[in-house]
Amino acid sequence: MKANQISTGKIIDGKEVFALELQNSRGSYAKIYNYGGIISEFVVTNAQGEKQNILLGFDDFDGYLSEDYLSNYPYLGVVVGRYSNRIKDGRFSINGKEYQMTKNLHGGTTGFDRKVWDILPTVDPSLTLQYISPANEEGFPGTLTVQLTIKLTDEDELILDYKAITDEPTAINLTHHSYFNLETNGGNISEHFHRMPASHYLQQDEDYTVTGVVLPVEGTIHDFLGGKRIGQDMDPAEGYDQSYVLDKPYGELGLASETMAASSGLKLEVYTTEPIAHFYTAKYLDIPNGKGDKVFGPFSAFCVETQHHPNGINIPEFPTTVLLPGDTYMQTTIFKVSQ
């Protein structure tokens, strides 16, 4: 595998934006920007022997900065932090002290997805990005140092390893917001076959915020235990935007989901050390000028966002999302493609 680093010619907040390319011995390829940790391409060989990009993105970096895109911002292919998903009222307490963060989805108005990350030297054929989030950024306490190492193996595994440390107790819940479509010509993802080893899901209120109630999937549209077409039980207006509790030991690497498309013969397996997989079918996607001049509309992709329990910082019964000084936050998620 080899890694290349190419300048985009863009300077944001005084830092240069680069495209970082990974390629393995099978000719599979990934492109990552150090802006937002965006993974814009993951190109593999499908069952017809054709090269196929299974990620939604833009042909060049300018697309991620356009006014049209940002006006209906879908977090396309980015690292989400400091805290993914929703925190109730943007408020939480640590050790009796209350904090009010910027009330917004996925970590605030200007989260990790809109930062230029530093590129660290690496020994292995991989890349490591680092972002140092100052204390009180978006209302979060403590200076948080985050590193993300990305590898593309010869088995077509895109491996994301996260680490973070802090100098004060703080809240952290990172994820990656990649949008996948495995069909050879893209389009609606309702015919994808999708399975999730998750016997329970998390109840949400009218604002899609997790309430703390854990519900069984049995007898509901959320049951993907045996696998089914995404569109089989899906509300055609709403789709899926739900957090699933994975049936695996806490903290151990295990299967989060597997998804297949008949037209390409491709299967995407997601493995993670995290306890939750948030399954989202892109209801709000509205991109008229995506890669290859394609239109990316509602339900033209799916996301499997591996993370801790959303709003878990406010729900003591859920696994903690508090990081303490001296401890290290660690997470691994693997996107593995096969035929």
Side-chain angles (χ1 to χ4, degrees), residues 24 37 51 54 63 72-73 129-130 142 159 199 212 248 251 285 287 310-311 326:
N24 67 15
K51 293 298 183 184
I54 62 172
N72 187 38
Y73 183 50
L129 304 177
Q130 176 174 280
I159 303 175
S199 300
K248 67 180 186 66
L285 202 57
I287 298 175
N311 198 34

mmCIF file of all heavy atoms in Angstrom, residues 24 37 51 54 63 72-73 129-130 142 159 199 212 248 251 285 287 310-311 326:
data_model
loop_
_atom_site.group_PDB
_atom_site.id
_atom_site.type_symbol
_atom_site.label_atom_id
_atom_site.label_comp_id
_atom_site.label_asym_id
_atom_site.label_seq_id
_atom_site.Cartn_x
_atom_site.Cartn_y
_atom_site.Cartn_z
ATOM 1 N N ASN A 24 -4.042 0.124 -2.234
ATOM 2 C CA ASN A 24 -3.511 -1.185 -1.837
ATOM 3 C C ASN A 24 -3.095 -2.004 -3.047
ATOM 4 O O ASN A 24 -3.189 -1.548 -4.202
ATOM 5 C CB ASN A 24 -4.516 -1.937 -0.957
ATOM 6 C CG ASN A 24 -5.781 -2.334 -1.690
ATOM 7 O OD1 ASN A 24 -5.848 -2.314 -2.920
ATOM 8 N ND2 ASN A 24 -6.803 -2.714 -0.928
ATOM 9 N N GLY A 37 -11.458 15.678 8.049
ATOM 10 C CA GLY A 37 -11.250 14.238 7.956
ATOM 11 C C GLY A 37 -12.164 13.609 6.909
ATOM 12 O O GLY A 37 -12.545 12.441 7.017
ATOM 13 N N LYS A 51 -14.131 -0.833 -11.571
ATOM 14 C CA LYS A 51 -13.823 0.004 -10.419
ATOM 15 C C LYS A 51 -15.056 0.820 -10.055
ATOM 16 O O LYS A 51 -15.688 1.422 -10.929
ATOM 17 C CB LYS A 51 -12.653 0.945 -10.727
ATOM 18 C CG LYS A 51 -11.321 0.221 -10.925
ATOM 19 C CD LYS A 51 -10.875 -0.522 -9.680
ATOM 20 C CE LYS A 51 -9.507 -1.165 -9.871
ATOM 21 N NZ LYS A 51 -9.116 -1.963 -8.693
ATOM 22 N N ILE A 54 -17.828 3.670 -3.785
ATOM 23 C CA ILE A 54 -19.025 3.367 -3.003
ATOM 24 C C ILE A 54 -19.392 4.495 -2.043
ATOM 25 O O ILE A 54 -20.332 4.343 -1.248
ATOM 26 C CB ILE A 54 -18.859 2.046 -2.218
ATOM 27 C CG1 ILE A 54 -17.698 2.135 -1.214
ATOM 28 C CG2 ILE A 54 -18.659 0.879 -3.178
ATOM 29 C CD1 ILE A 54 -17.618 0.938 -0.276
ATOM 30 N N GLY A 63 -16.341 21.585 -3.996
ATOM 31 C CA GLY A 63 -17.723 21.206 -3.750
ATOM 32 C C GLY A 63 -18.105 21.231 -2.286
ATOM 33 O O GLY A 63 -19.250 21.552 -1.930
ATOM 34 N N ASN A 72 -27.555 23.410 3.068
ATOM 35 C CA ASN A 72 -28.307 22.223 3.491
ATOM 36 C C ASN A 72 -27.303 21.140 3.867
ATOM 37 O O ASN A 72 -27.291 20.041 3.331
ATOM 38 C CB ASN A 72 -29.230 21.739 2.373
ATOM 39 C CG ASN A 72 -30.152 20.634 2.823
ATOM 40 O OD1 ASN A 72 -30.658 20.641 3.937
ATOM 41 N ND2 ASN A 72 -30.373 19.650 1.960
ATOM 42 N N TYR A 73 -26.475 21.472 4.825
ATOM 43 C CA TYR A 73 -25.246 20.745 5.128
ATOM 44 C C TYR A 73 -25.520 19.341 5.668
ATOM 45 O O TYR A 73 -26.105 19.193 6.740
ATOM 46 C CB TYR A 73 -24.448 21.569 6.137
ATOM 47 C CG TYR A 73 -23.104 21.004 6.508
ATOM 48 C CD1 TYR A 73 -22.202 20.614 5.526
ATOM 49 C CD2 TYR A 73 -22.735 20.879 7.839
ATOM 50 C CE1 TYR A 73 -20.963 20.109 5.873
ATOM 51 C CE2 TYR A 73 -21.495 20.383 8.199
ATOM 52 C CZ TYR A 73 -20.607 19.998 7.212
ATOM 53 O OH TYR A 73 -19.379 19.500 7.548
ATOM 54 N N LEU A 129 -4.182 11.955 11.212
ATOM 55 C CA LEU A 129 -4.611 13.342 11.318
ATOM 56 C C LEU A 129 -4.778 13.693 12.794
ATOM 57 O O LEU A 129 -5.184 12.857 13.599
ATOM 58 C CB LEU A 129 -5.939 13.549 10.598
ATOM 59 C CG LEU A 129 -5.996 13.150 9.131
ATOM 60 C CD1 LEU A 129 -7.409 13.344 8.580
ATOM 61 C CD2 LEU A 129 -4.998 13.946 8.302
ATOM 62 N N GLN A 130 -4.472 14.942 13.123
ATOM 63 C CA GLN A 130 -4.617 15.392 14.510
ATOM 64 C C GLN A 130 -5.298 16.747 14.557
ATOM 65 O O GLN A 130 -4.992 17.640 13.760
ATOM 66 C CB GLN A 130 -3.261 15.485 15.198
ATOM 67 C CG GLN A 130 -3.331 16.036 16.624
ATOM 68 C CD GLN A 130 -2.002 15.997 17.342
ATOM 69 O OE1 GLN A 130 -1.588 14.971 17.854
ATOM 70 N NE2 GLN A 130 -1.300 17.129 17.361
ATOM 71 N N GLY A 142 -12.226 21.730 28.671
ATOM 72 C CA GLY A 142 -10.970 21.020 28.465
ATOM 73 C C GLY A 142 -10.419 21.137 27.064
ATOM 74 O O GLY A 142 -11.148 21.257 26.086
ATOM 75 N N ILE A 159 -9.664 1.062 7.762
ATOM 76 C CA ILE A 159 -9.650 1.006 9.228
ATOM 77 C C ILE A 159 -9.470 2.399 9.792
ATOM 78 O O ILE A 159 -8.519 3.111 9.437
ATOM 79 C CB ILE A 159 -8.524 0.089 9.734
ATOM 80 C CG1 ILE A 159 -8.679 -1.321 9.141
ATOM 81 C CG2 ILE A 159 -8.520 0.024 11.258
ATOM 82 C CD1 ILE A 159 -7.542 -2.262 9.506
ATOM 83 N N SER A 199 -30.585 -6.304 18.789
ATOM 84 C CA SER A 199 -31.906 -6.716 19.282
ATOM 85 C C SER A 199 -32.692 -5.563 19.886
ATOM 86 O O SER A 199 -33.878 -5.720 20.171
ATOM 87 C CB SER A 199 -31.753 -7.829 20.329
ATOM 88 O OG SER A 199 -31.115 -8.955 19.783
ATOM 89 N N GLY A 212 -33.415 7.721 26.644
ATOM 90 C CA GLY A 212 -32.951 6.814 27.699
ATOM 91 C C GLY A 212 -33.703 5.501 27.730
ATOM 92 O O GLY A 212 -33.297 4.564 28.419
ATOM 93 N N LYS A 248 -23.206 -7.276 21.161
ATOM 94 C CA LYS A 248 -21.825 -7.718 21.333
ATOM 95 C C LYS A 248 -21.302 -7.184 22.660
ATOM 96 O O LYS A 248 -21.842 -6.213 23.198
ATOM 97 C CB LYS A 248 -20.943 -7.235 20.179
ATOM 98 C CG LYS A 248 -20.741 -5.731 20.119
ATOM 99 C CD LYS A 248 -19.851 -5.335 18.960
ATOM 100 C CE LYS A 248 -19.520 -3.838 18.991
ATOM 101 N NZ LYS A 248 -18.691 -3.459 20.161
ATOM 102 N N GLY A 251 -17.189 -2.709 24.264
ATOM 103 C CA GLY A 251 -15.791 -2.392 24.032
ATOM 104 C C GLY A 251 -15.047 -3.351 23.124
ATOM 105 O O GLY A 251 -13.919 -3.067 22.716
ATOM 106 N N LEU A 285 -30.849 14.522 2.348
ATOM 107 C CA LEU A 285 -29.803 14.754 1.360
ATOM 108 C C LEU A 285 -30.359 15.489 0.137
ATOM 109 O O LEU A 285 -31.405 15.117 -0.410
ATOM 110 C CB LEU A 285 -29.204 13.414 0.938
ATOM 111 C CG LEU A 285 -27.793 13.423 0.337
ATOM 112 C CD1 LEU A 285 -26.798 14.070 1.293
ATOM 113 C CD2 LEU A 285 -27.367 12.004 0.007
ATOM 114 N N ILE A 287 -28.197 17.183 -2.928
ATOM 115 C CA ILE A 287 -26.979 17.639 -3.593
ATOM 116 C C ILE A 287 -27.170 17.456 -5.101
ATOM 117 O O ILE A 287 -27.167 16.327 -5.607
ATOM 118 C CB ILE A 287 -25.746 16.845 -3.113
ATOM 119 C CG1 ILE A 287 -25.530 17.060 -1.609
ATOM 120 C CG2 ILE A 287 -24.499 17.259 -3.882
ATOM 121 C CD1 ILE A 287 -24.421 16.237 -1.016
ATOM 122 N N PRO A 310 -26.110 8.160 21.915
ATOM 123 C CA PRO A 310 -26.398 9.585 21.791
ATOM 124 C C PRO A 310 -27.082 10.116 23.050
ATOM 125 O O PRO A 310 -27.886 9.420 23.669
ATOM 126 C CB PRO A 310 -27.346 9.642 20.584
ATOM 127 C CG PRO A 310 -27.041 8.411 19.804
ATOM 128 C CD PRO A 310 -26.696 7.373 20.829
ATOM 129 N N ASN A 311 -26.737 11.334 23.424
ATOM 130 C CA ASN A 311 -27.257 11.966 24.650
ATOM 131 C C ASN A 311 -26.878 11.191 25.897
ATOM 132 O O ASN A 311 -27.424 11.431 26.981
ATOM 133 C CB ASN A 311 -28.791 12.140 24.577
ATOM 134 C CG ASN A 311 -29.326 13.147 25.582
ATOM 135 O OD1 ASN A 311 -28.669 14.140 25.907
ATOM 136 N ND2 ASN A 311 -30.510 12.900 26.110
ATOM 137 N N GLY A 326 -5.686 11.828 32.037
ATOM 138 C CA GLY A 326 -4.950 10.612 32.340
ATOM 139 C C GLY A 326 -5.500 9.380 31.642
ATOM 140 O O GLY A 326 -4.808 8.363 31.529
#
